[in-house]
Amino acid sequence: MEIGLYHYLTLSVILFAIGMTGVLIRRSVLSMLLSIEILFNSINLAALAFNRFLYPATVTGHVFVIFIITIAAAEAAVALAIVMIVYKNFRSLEVEGLTSLKR
Amino acid sequence: MAHALMFYLFAALAIAASLAVILHRNIFKSATFLAGMLFCLAALFVLLDAEFIAVVQVLIYIGAITILIVFAIMLTTKINDEHKEQFNSQKFLAPILALGLLGLILTIVVKIQWTTAEISPVPSDILGLIGTALLSDFIFPFDVVSILLLVALIGATYIAKQEDRKPLVTEVDETGEHGDGKVKHALHAEEVEH
Amino acid sequence: MDVILGLLYVVILFSLVAVQVLILVFMERKVSAWIQSRIGPNRVGPWGLLQTTADIIKLITKENIRNIQSDKVIFFLAPILAFVAPFAGFVTIPVAENLGIQDLNMGAVYVFALGSSMVFSVIWAGYGSNNRYALIGAMRSAAQMISYEIPLVTSVLGVFLIAGTLSMREIVALQESGTWYVIYQPLGFILFLVAATAEANRAPFDLPEAESELVAGFHTEYSGMKFAFFFLAEYTEMLVACSLMTVLFLGGWLIPFVDNSQIPWWIHIFVFIFKVYSMIFLMMWFRWTFPRLRVDHLMQFGWKVLLPFALVNLVVTGAVALWLKS
Amino acid sequence: MRFLIDVFKGLWSLFVGLGVTFKYMFRKKTTVQYPEIKKPLADRFIGYVKMMYETEGEFAGHTKCVACMACVVVCPVSCIQVTHDKHPDPTKKRIANDFILDYTKCEFCNLCVEACNFDAIIMGHDYELSFYDRADMDMILVKDKKYNDDLYAASRRQTGSEYRPIIAPREREIVDVINKREHEERLKKQAEKSPAQQSE
């Protein structure tokens, strides 16, 4: 069977579901960050699949993916700075404990 | 044929790796599996004729973002603390929810008749097209993203560099002393000397 | 059929690279000896030529020792990735006009991407050995490599801007008639040379494996075959970096001021190899001249000197290119 | 501006450094090809303990060691074993039968040589002290009172060129003078004693 848009979209959706589960079930902030990266990538895959199979002559999907990667980099930098400061203040990275902005 | 084989291989690897990311107890290995998953996706991007994006994925995602996360892991968590409970109380509910969402989106995806009748060949100079698109149609988002990156850079530096703020921990650590004075030096050893 | 051909390419490339590394190690020892007024290896074989072969045989036949608490899989994978990543970079490098495995559309970026995934092998080595010295060395090395990647890539952007393509073969073809890009981009060339030296963990930027400070950095726990792979990886990386330099700045296989279409292809190969080896000689010369940097100076140098100069170089190149175009 | 000047100065200094090492590349090599060519040692070099033998007189070839055990007593690591026998020279009491030195223990401290009252041992100039077998490191300096060439060669790799090593020449002179004086005194004593004995 020819691999088409459906296959890529299905894979993308499965990855999205896995990423979402990861965000919901993990306790550590860092694990949640890893899961968020999975979410980003499932979106990237979907964008590129749409671009390839629906409008191959344009590059809108590619441009979107580049933006997403850029924003993921910025997000990672800020999130890691926050993780550092949280760890410094709370000595733990478990989400349940982080209920106040200040302790 | 080869295309289908490659697709199934890398799709299976990607799914397995992402499952390992969310289920593995050792967070360092989680990050390693994330790099593996990103690599599989890069391979899939090549199958989708997006070589440039695949290369950028390896260069930035694996080479920079994952490494950054690994750094954060090394600097904060106890990696080998595998006996600790890793999952919260939603660990049974969340997969059901995710499966529901999966079913929902999959139904939508399958129901829609995408107009993919003919697959026309991709343009050869995709790199030039991306460049042109970034600096013509998408010039505004491009600028916004640049500014966002700059702001994120400054913000991250600002947040991470607040060393004069007193650590708020007062719990007693193993030596019997208060954690107060000892917390600072680990992360900011290099800044102290300036 | 394609698969068999590809495997054949890999085997040929591997043997070529392995032989190159043997020669390079011998050359390094000789250069270091000359700079220090010594003779260097001269016992095994004629003029000591078989010295490195003997060393490699010794490494291969050595017992494989593994720390019992180390992480088996990661410990095993790290040296392999360390070697495979730079090795795969050879795929795009054109040695002569029609010689080279595959000319990718974005060849140069591909090589940089592989270089950046090398960081992972270093971190794996540090984590997998379950040794504090190794971990400290690995973190230092990773920090150094991701810091120097930025000036490394930024410094060549000027070349891409002038050439208007990322394909290695086209970049070389554009340098016909003796207009090497090193003439247009002297600053870029120097920055690239420095950053590539740091990227390959060579002295004076060899902090990650500083012998006198960190035992051997991230490969403290490695011995025998696995250590040989790290060794191989370092020299392969050097080869790739110098080949890149040759292609991007020094006109690849071209001889200046000569009609290159008249010259047979095997001379082109020799010209390419000569250029690569002169760059490698330069790197070795650096190693035995400059003292090692201190760790904070290393970071300062990367971020406060190399990066601003690379950015200035890029902006000036862009402005001049725009001005010439209009 | 100052930053720029610093950077260019730094760059220039790097070039100067490269020039220096480039010059060194063509200098005369200082390597000495060791096993073939050996550098002369300093006179005071402390190597390998050597036994001295009588070179002249009636008992030439016999060891000078009279088994007084001074070296055994003084040795900080107890690496010397000496067995003794009756000396063939009637003026001396004993002679070393076996003199065995354990090089796995010896630390080349020179104390035994200083303790020796008869100038019988000396620190030599041999420094190639590697062996294939641990048993070889128990070195037999004397066997059956006499210098035995075969035994000596077998007990170690013979590398020194001269059998009688040179210590610091000035000291050697003093030692020689002292030896000579003692020898003369002994002869004199003997001469004094013998007529007395004869007369008795």
Side-chain angles (χ1 to χ4, degrees):
Chain A
M1 188 182 159
E2 191 69 21
I3 299 296
L5 181 58
Y6 289 104
H7 295 78
Y8 284 101
L9 284 184
T10 311
L11 177 62
S12 162
V13 173
I14 291 172
L15 288 180
F16 190 86
I18 292 174
M20 204 182 81
T21 320
V23 175
L24 288 177
I25 63 171
R26 292 303 287 245
R27 291 177 86 180
S28 156
V29 175
L30 281 167
S31 304
M32 289 169 71
L33 207 62
L34 294 177
S35 309
I36 289 173
E37 300 299 337
I38 300 180
L39 289 180
F40 274 133
N41 271 280
S42 73
I43 303 299
N44 284 356
L45 187 63
L48 281 177
F50 278 130
N51 188 76
R52 174 72 187 82
F53 291 105
L54 298 186
Y55 307 102
T58 63
V59 290
T60 318
H62 293 69
V63 173
F64 261 84
V65 173
I66 289 175
F67 283 149
I68 290 175
I69 290 180
T70 320
I71 290 168
E75 170 255 347
V78 175
L80 295 179
I82 293 174
V83 162
M84 291 291 203
I85 206 87
V86 163
Y87 188 74
K88 221 163 81 181
N89 285 338
F90 291 84
R91 307 309 281 170
S92 144
L93 287 178
E94 287 174 9
V95 202
E96 279 93 351
L98 312 179
T99 46
S100 57
L101 288 173
K102 254 185 169 179
R103 222 179 99 176
Chain B
M1 190 56 215
H3 185 262
L5 213 68
M6 296 289 258
F7 172 78
Y8 285 120
L9 175 69
F10 283 113
L13 280 176
I15 290 173
S18 55
L19 277 175
V21 171
I22 66 162
L23 295 178
H24 208 290
R25 291 183 160 272
N26 183 332
I27 188 162
F28 180 84
K29 285 190 185 167
S30 271
T32 306
F33 277 116
L34 180 72
M37 195 213 84
L38 295 170
F39 190 80
C40 292
L41 280 188
L44 289 174
F45 292 171
V46 173
L47 291 183
L48 283 169
D49 298 316
E51 289 95 349
F52 181 67
I53 302 294
V55 169
V56 166
Q57 169 107 348
V58 175
L59 183 66
I60 295 176
Y61 246 120
I62 298 182
I65 297 178
T66 324
I67 298 289
L68 259 184
I69 295 177
V70 168
F71 259 86
I73 291 170
M74 296 282 193
L75 289 175
T76 54
T77 331
K78 278 182 195 151
I79 297 168
N80 287 326
D81 200 5
E82 293 184 20
H83 302 296
K84 221 166 96 184
E85 179 57 50
Q86 296 283 339
F87 308 109
N88 59 20
S89 51
Q90 301 159 355
K91 63 184 163 190
F92 299 114
L93 197 62
I96 298 170
L97 190 67
L99 273 181
L101 186 76
L102 178 74
L104 196 69
I105 304 180
L106 269 186
T107 337
I108 297 170
V109 164
V110 175
K111 275 272 169 64
I112 296 177
Q113 283 297 314
W114 306 99
T115 50
T116 57
E118 93 290 17
I119 295 173
S120 53
V122 280
S124 59
D125 185 23
I126 223 162
L127 210 55
L129 281 178
I130 293 174
T132 319
L134 271 179
L135 289 179
S136 57
D137 292 349
F138 294 92
I139 183 74
F140 183 65
F142 183 75
D143 283 349
V144 171
V145 163
S146 322
I147 293 167
L148 177 83
L149 259 182
L150 184 66
V151 170
L153 198 71
I154 297 169
T157 322
Y158 177 73
I159 294 172
K161 223 191 157 171
Q162 290 177 337
E163 55 170 317
D164 37 343
R165 185 203 282 174
K166 267 198 177 148
L168 299 163
V169 187
T170 45
E171 65 195 358
V172 180
D173 63 7
E174 288 156 52
T175 52
E177 290 173 71
H178 281 270
D180 242 292
K182 305 191 93 186
V183 183
K184 269 200 274 190
H185 63 80
L187 293 176
H188 291 279
E190 53 171 326
E191 284 158 16
V192 172
E193 70 170 60
H194 290 305
Chain C
M1 200 54 220
D2 278 357
V3 177
I4 296 166
L5 206 65
L7 279 178
L8 198 70
Y9 276 143
V10 168
V11 170
I12 291 172
L13 200 61
F14 179 77
S15 43
L16 279 177
V17 168
V19 170
Q20 299 283 317
V21 169
L22 283 184
I23 296 169
L24 281 181
V25 174
F26 180 73
M27 182 174 154
E28 168 117 69
R29 297 184 66 169
K30 276 290 186 194
V31 169
S32 73
W34 292 335
I35 286 180
Q36 295 170 347
S37 297
R38 295 185 284 116
I39 296 176
N42 63 346
R43 296 274 164 161
V44 189
W47 307 293
L49 276 173
L50 296 176
Q51 180 68 51
T52 38
T53 321
D55 288 347
I56 294 289
I57 289 171
K58 177 214 137 199
L59 277 177
I60 289 172
T61 51
K62 218 172 162 181
E63 187 187 3
N64 240 330
I65 301 169
R66 189 175 67 81
N67 182 353
I68 200 156
Q69 289 196 321
S70 61
D71 197 307
K72 221 188 252 172
V73 181
I74 290 182
F75 188 74
F76 176 73
L77 281 180
I80 294 175
L81 179 70
F83 172 66
V84 167
F87 177 66
F90 276 110
V91 170
T92 55
I93 289 170
V95 179
E97 186 130 32
N98 292 313
L99 205 70
I101 293 179
Q102 179 82 46
D103 188 36
L104 290 181
N105 207 1
M106 63 288 298
V109 187
Y110 163 78
V111 179
F112 291 135
L114 287 168
S116 83
S117 57
M118 261 223 36
V119 186
F120 242 94
S121 79
V122 170
I123 287 184
W124 278 356
Y127 174 78
S129 337
N130 201 7
N131 174 334
R132 279 164 209 191
Y133 292 105
L135 195 60
I136 291 171
M139 295 318 274
R140 272 192 184 193
S141 178
Q144 175 185 331
M145 283 165 95
I146 49 178
S147 310
Y148 277 79
E149 200 129 281
I150 299 161
L152 182 77
V153 178
T154 319
S155 60
V156 286
L157 286 182
V159 170
F160 298 149
L161 215 88
I162 299 174
T165 174
L166 288 179
S167 152
M168 305 276 235
R169 199 159 290 172
E170 282 172 42
I171 288 176
V172 175
L174 282 167
Q175 298 179 55
E176 187 87 57
S177 78
T179 53
W180 292 358
Y181 285 140
V182 68
I183 300 165
Y184 298 135
Q185 292 279 319
L187 184 58
F189 177 70
I190 293 173
L191 293 175
F192 187 83
L193 182 62
V194 174
T197 316
E199 216 19 43
N201 284 341
R202 300 269 313 167
F205 304 100
D206 63 343
L207 279 162
E209 44 198 278
E211 293 96 343
S212 46
E213 298 158 30
L214 284 168
V215 194
F218 56 89
H219 51 67
T220 304
E221 289 289 335
Y222 284 87
S223 67
M225 195 63 194
K226 288 175 187 149
F227 175 76
F229 259 87
F230 272 118
F231 211 64
L232 209 63
E234 186 187 327
Y235 283 93
T236 316
E237 214 179 338
M238 211 158 96
L239 265 177
V240 173
C242 291
S243 309
L244 261 183
M245 248 181 270
T246 308
V247 168
L248 295 178
F249 292 101
L250 300 177
W253 62 81
L254 299 173
I255 308 169
F257 314 121
V258 177
D259 187 7
N260 280 291
S261 53
Q262 304 296 321
I263 290 168
W265 57 275
W266 53 272
I267 289 183
H268 281 156
I269 294 178
F270 277 115
V271 169
F272 186 85
I273 291 175
F274 173 73
K275 284 177 182 172
V276 171
Y277 269 65
S278 354
M279 293 324 292
I280 288 176
F281 174 74
L282 198 62
M283 274 191 168
M284 288 175 178
W285 191 3
F286 284 173
R287 171 165 181 180
W288 298 101
T289 303
F290 302 138
R292 189 179 296 137
L293 269 78
R294 215 170 73 192
V295 68
D296 55 331
H297 286 183
L298 182 89
M299 287 296 159
Q300 267 180 21
F301 183 65
W303 289 102
K304 292 188 183 169
V305 179
L306 286 187
L307 187 59
F309 273 100
L311 288 174
V312 165
N313 182 43
L314 177 63
V315 170
V316 170
T317 312
V320 170
L322 204 66
W323 178 61
L324 286 179
K325 209 176 172 188
S326 60
Chain D
M1 199 57 219
R2 201 159 152 207
F3 168 73
L4 283 180
I5 291 171
D6 277 355
V7 167
F8 284 109
K9 266 187 183 167
L11 202 65
W12 178 244
S13 72
L14 295 186
F15 280 118
V16 171
L18 285 177
V20 170
T21 44
F22 192 71
K23 260 186 255 159
Y24 266 81
M25 238 181 262
F26 302 104
R27 282 209 171 175
K28 199 167 162 283
K29 310 290 180 229
T30 52
T31 312
V32 176
Q33 292 285 324
Y34 162 61
E36 289 91 29
I37 303 163
K38 282 181 184 135
K39 277 180 126 179
L41 291 167
D43 283 341
R44 285 171 173 277
F45 184 84
I46 287 182
Y48 191 86
V49 173
K50 281 201 168 173
M51 181 59 65
M52 306 298 287
Y53 298 91
E54 301 284 357
T55 49
E56 52 204 9
E58 192 189 338
F59 301 104
H62 282 71
T63 175
K64 277 185 173 179
C65 180
V66 296
C68 65
M69 302 292 171
C71 49
V72 179
V73 171
V74 83
C75 183
V77 289
S78 316
C79 64
I80 305 174
Q81 287 176 41
V82 184
T83 59
H84 57 84
D85 210 348
K86 199 174 180 310
H87 203 292
D89 184 351
T91 58
K92 292 173 185 171
K93 228 176 174 180
R94 301 191 294 195
I95 188 166
N97 197 15
D98 283 333
F99 191 103
I100 300 171
L101 198 107
D102 187 357
Y103 269 98
T104 55
K105 291 181 188 165
C106 179
E107 55 184 15
F108 298 85
C109 63
N110 204 23
L111 283 178
C112 48
V113 175
E114 280 172 19
C116 187
N117 295 317
F118 298 91
D119 225 10
I121 46 177
I122 206 168
M123 298 308 264
H125 275 192
D126 290 340
Y127 46 86
E128 289 163 325
L129 292 170
S130 53
F131 300 92
Y132 286 104
D133 196 339
R134 186 175 276 246
D136 288 346
M137 300 190 85
D138 278 338
M139 275 183 292
I140 304 160
L141 299 186
V142 186
K143 182 84 179 168
D144 288 342
K145 305 160 207 130
K146 282 185 93 173
Y147 167 64
N148 183 336
D149 214 16
D150 293 340
L151 183 75
Y152 200 62
S155 67
R156 68 174 184 87
R157 274 165 64 211
Q158 182 107 27
T159 47
S161 52
E162 79 284 6
Y163 160 60
R164 187 189 156 114
I166 308 160
I167 58 169
R170 205 174 141 61
E171 278 179 19
R172 183 75 250 169
E173 236 166 61
I174 295 170
V175 170
D176 279 348
V177 168
I178 293 169
N179 279 357
K180 210 174 177 186
R181 198 187 297 151
E182 283 179 354
H183 189 67
E184 279 167 4
E185 271 174 18
R186 208 184 295 144
L187 283 180
K188 214 187 273 174
K189 263 184 194 169
Q190 234 172 340
E192 281 170 7
K193 246 182 179 178
S194 51
Q197 274 175 345
Q198 280 170 2
S199 66
E200 274 173 10

